[in-house]
Amino acid sequence: WGTLHNNLKKINTAIFFSGRGSNMESLIKATKNQNFPASIPVVITNNKSAPGIQLAKNHFIPVEILDKNKFNRSEFESNSQKILLDYKIEMICLAGFMQILSKKFVYSWQNRIINIHPSYLPKNKGLYPQKQVIDEKASYTGCSVHFVNEKIDDGKIILQEKVKVMHNDNVQTLSDRILEKEHIIYPRALKKIALEILEIKN
Ligand code: GRF
């Protein structure tokens, strides 16, 4: 007759990352709450030098390293598919994953891959969005969590948050303020989508 919590189903979620891993860590921390509807049994990186590797290890999460110098995109993807199957993964979060996924991969995970981008999409897609914002002298930017489709930073938006640009902002100060918001909205977005998947399954 254990507590209700023991029966809570969770969506097995993998994270793909390439670098610092701060968004990955914010997701890992959120999933530690017993009521959070997703868990993270494995993370995958394409960069053997990614600082995020140590972060994941600190949380005792297995890290699969498919280094970009050893595995081309198609090898990365076929090896990832095996890992995802092994861990019974149902959903993928991209968190600073600096490699474009093939159409084939994206279609095989349709509506099951989400990404975070540091701009108020559809504004400022692609690389260095914070610099784009400073150069444009825009008055606000933000961050967005969206579904991944075959185009870059393009799929349906799940959650987004605005961040005001201050007159004395530089790329660094602006990026730091956006990142704080990223760490808040990414776990919220994962929760929302995981709950929706659980709903469909029941
Ligand atoms: C974040 O700004 C994220 O929005 C973008 O890449 C950066 C990754 O940072 N896609 P981190 O590795 O999560 O710290």
Coordinates of all heavy atoms in Angstrom, one line a residue, residues 19-24 95-98 115-118 130 179 182-183, ligand 1:
G19 N 28.9 20.7 -24.4 CA 29.8 21.6 -23.7 C 29.7 21.7 -22.3 O 29.7 20.7 -21.5
R20 N 29.4 22.9 -21.8 CA 29.4 23.3 -20.4 C 28.4 22.4 -19.6 O 28.6 22.0 -18.5 CB 29.0 24.7 -20.3 CG 28.9 25.4 -19.0 CD 28.7 26.9 -19.2 NE 27.5 27.1 -19.9 CZ 27.1 28.3 -20.3 NH1 27.8 29.4 -20.0 NH2 26.0 28.5 -21.0
G21 N 27.2 22.2 -20.1 CA 26.2 21.3 -19.5 C 25.4 21.9 -18.4 O 24.8 21.2 -17.6
S22 N 25.3 23.3 -18.3 CA 24.5 23.9 -17.2 C 23.0 23.6 -17.4 O 22.3 23.4 -16.4 CB 24.8 25.4 -17.1 OG 24.2 26.1 -18.1
N23 N 22.5 23.6 -18.6 CA 21.1 23.2 -18.8 C 20.8 21.8 -18.5 O 19.8 21.4 -17.9 CB 20.6 23.6 -20.2 CG 20.3 25.0 -20.3 OD1 19.2 25.5 -19.8 ND2 21.1 25.8 -21.0
M24 N 21.8 20.9 -18.9 CA 21.7 19.5 -18.5 C 21.6 19.4 -17.0 O 20.7 18.7 -16.5 CB 22.9 18.8 -19.0 CG 22.9 17.3 -18.5 SD 24.4 16.5 -19.1 CE 25.7 17.3 -18.2
A95 N 20.7 20.0 -25.1 CA 21.1 21.0 -24.2 C 22.5 21.5 -24.6 O 23.5 20.9 -24.1 CB 21.0 20.5 -22.7
G96 N 22.6 22.5 -25.4 CA 23.9 22.9 -25.9 C 24.5 21.8 -26.7 O 25.7 21.5 -26.6
F97 N 23.7 21.1 -27.5 CA 24.2 20.0 -28.4 C 24.5 20.7 -29.8 O 23.6 21.1 -30.5 CB 23.1 18.9 -28.5 CG 23.6 17.8 -29.4 CD1 24.7 17.0 -29.0 CD2 23.0 17.5 -30.6 CE1 25.1 16.0 -29.8 CE2 23.4 16.4 -31.4 CZ 24.5 15.7 -31.0
M98 N 25.8 20.7 -30.1 CA 26.3 21.5 -31.2 C 26.5 20.7 -32.5 O 27.5 20.7 -33.1 CB 27.6 22.2 -30.9 CG 27.5 23.1 -29.6 SD 26.1 24.3 -29.8 CE 26.8 25.5 -30.9
N115 N 14.5 21.3 -27.6 CA 15.8 22.0 -27.5 C 15.5 23.3 -26.8 O 14.4 23.8 -26.8 CB 16.2 22.3 -29.0 CG 17.6 23.0 -29.0 OD1 18.5 22.7 -28.3 ND2 17.6 24.1 -29.9
I116 N 16.6 23.9 -26.3 CA 16.5 25.2 -25.7 C 17.4 26.1 -26.5 O 18.6 25.8 -26.9 CB 16.9 25.3 -24.2 CG1 16.6 26.7 -23.7 CG2 18.3 24.8 -23.9 CD1 16.2 26.7 -22.2
H117 N 16.9 27.3 -26.8 CA 17.7 28.3 -27.6 C 17.7 29.6 -26.9 O 16.6 30.1 -26.5 CB 17.1 28.4 -29.0 CG 17.9 29.3 -29.9 ND1 19.1 29.0 -30.4 CD2 17.6 30.6 -30.4 CE1 19.6 29.9 -31.2 NE2 18.7 30.9 -31.2
P118 N 18.8 30.3 -26.8 CA 18.9 31.6 -26.0 C 18.4 32.8 -26.8 O 19.2 33.8 -27.0 CB 20.3 31.7 -25.6 CG 21.1 30.9 -26.7 CD 20.2 29.9 -27.2
Q130 N 22.8 35.9 -28.9 CA 23.0 37.1 -27.9 C 23.7 38.2 -28.6 O 23.4 39.4 -28.4 CB 23.7 36.6 -26.7 CG 23.0 35.5 -25.9 CD 23.6 34.1 -26.3 OE1 24.2 33.9 -27.4 NE2 23.5 33.2 -25.3
L179 N 20.7 32.9 -19.4 CA 20.9 31.6 -18.9 C 20.1 31.3 -17.6 O 19.6 30.2 -17.4 CB 22.4 31.4 -18.7 CG 22.9 29.9 -18.5 CD1 22.6 29.1 -19.7 CD2 24.4 29.9 -18.1
E182 N 16.9 30.3 -18.7 CA 16.9 29.0 -19.3 C 16.8 27.9 -18.3 O 16.1 27.0 -18.5 CB 18.2 28.8 -20.1 CG 18.4 29.7 -21.3 CD 19.7 29.4 -22.1 OE1 19.9 28.2 -22.4 OE2 20.4 30.3 -22.4
H183 N 17.5 28.1 -17.2 CA 17.6 27.1 -16.2 C 16.2 26.9 -15.5 O 15.9 25.9 -14.9 CB 18.6 27.4 -15.1 CG 20.0 27.3 -15.7 ND1 21.1 27.9 -15.1 CD2 20.5 26.7 -16.9 CE1 22.2 27.7 -15.9 NE2 21.8 27.0 -16.9
Ligands
GRF1 C1 22.7 27.5 -23.9 O1 22.7 28.9 -23.9 C2 21.6 26.9 -24.7 O2 20.5 27.7 -24.8 C3 22.3 26.9 -26.1 O3 23.6 26.6 -25.8 C4 23.9 27.0 -24.5 C5 24.4 25.7 -23.7 O4 24.9 26.0 -22.4 N1 21.6 26.0 -27.0 P1 25.0 24.8 -21.4 O5 25.9 23.8 -22.0 O6 23.6 24.3 -21.1 O7 25.6 25.4 -20.2

